[in-house]
């Protein structure tokens, strides 16, 4: 599972904290213990915070990355660009179903004419 986390300026800090807690709660579920986890974050530019498989649910390292590596930066919401980054950089195993969880407020950037910008789906 790769979490793709919106850390743009449209996300209230309380909501961003709730997203981080959701990810930590997911990681503590006993049924997720054999799942590889990755974390990508995005605003104007997507970034890999934790490479898929570098941490497993329940590990102290994953909690540390969520608490200290995943910070809210502000900026634009470029969700489609972030999803493309996740697809290009995540090393999904061939024999395992692929899954991503996109955590966003859904507010895509629009140009002055109200049209969705090219980086958004």
């Amino acid at each position: 599972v790769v979490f793709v986390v919106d850390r743009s300026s449209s996300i209230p800090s309380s909501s961003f904290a709730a997203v981080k807690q959701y990810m930590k709660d997911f990681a503590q579920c006993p049924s997720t213990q054999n799942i590889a986890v990755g974390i990508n974050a995005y605003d104007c530019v997507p970034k890999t915070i934790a490479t898929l498989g570098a941490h497993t649910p329940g590990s102290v390292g994953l909690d540390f990355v969520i608490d200290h590596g995943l910070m809210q930066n502000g900026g634009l919401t470029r969700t489609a660009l972030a999803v493309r980054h996740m697809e290009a950089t995540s090393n999904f195993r061939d024999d395992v179903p692929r899954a991503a969880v996109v955590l966003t407020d859904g507010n895509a950037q629009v140009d002055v004419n109200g049209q969705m910008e090219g980086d958004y789906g």
Side-chain angles (χ1 to χ4, degrees):
V1 167
V2 178
F3 289 99
V4 182
V5 181
D6 182 351
R7 60 182 183 179
S8 68
S9 57
S10 64
I11 305 292
S13 58
S14 61
S15 295
F16 192 75
V19 163
K20 290 172 73 167
Q21 186 60 52
Y22 169 80
M23 293 169 56
K24 290 171 72 172
D25 291 346
F26 172 86
Q28 297 303 317
C29 291
S31 63
T32 64
Q33 297 309 304
N34 293 323
I35 295 176
V37 176
I39 302 171
N40 288 357
Y42 70 97
D43 41 49
C44 298
V45 177
K47 178 180 179 182
T48 300
I49 303 298
T51 304
L52 179 62
H55 301 284
T56 56
S59 73
V60 175
L62 182 58
D63 279 354
F64 184 85
V65 169
I66 292 168
D67 285 337
H68 302 288
L70 183 60
M71 298 295 153
Q72 189 170 17
N73 285 359
L76 301 175
T77 306
R78 293 192 166 160
T79 305
L81 182 63
V83 170
R84 287 194 299 273
H85 172 80
M86 180 270 309
E87 291 174 327
T89 61
S90 296
N91 189 20
F92 287 103
R93 296 180 296 189
D94 290 332
D95 58 335
V96 177
R98 298 171 182 202
V101 177
V102 179
L103 299 162
T104 181
D105 63 358
N107 290 331
Q109 305 309 131
V110 294
D111 67 16
V112 294
N113 296 317
Q115 299 296 311
M116 302 248 336
E117 292 182 6
D119 280 334
Y120 304 97

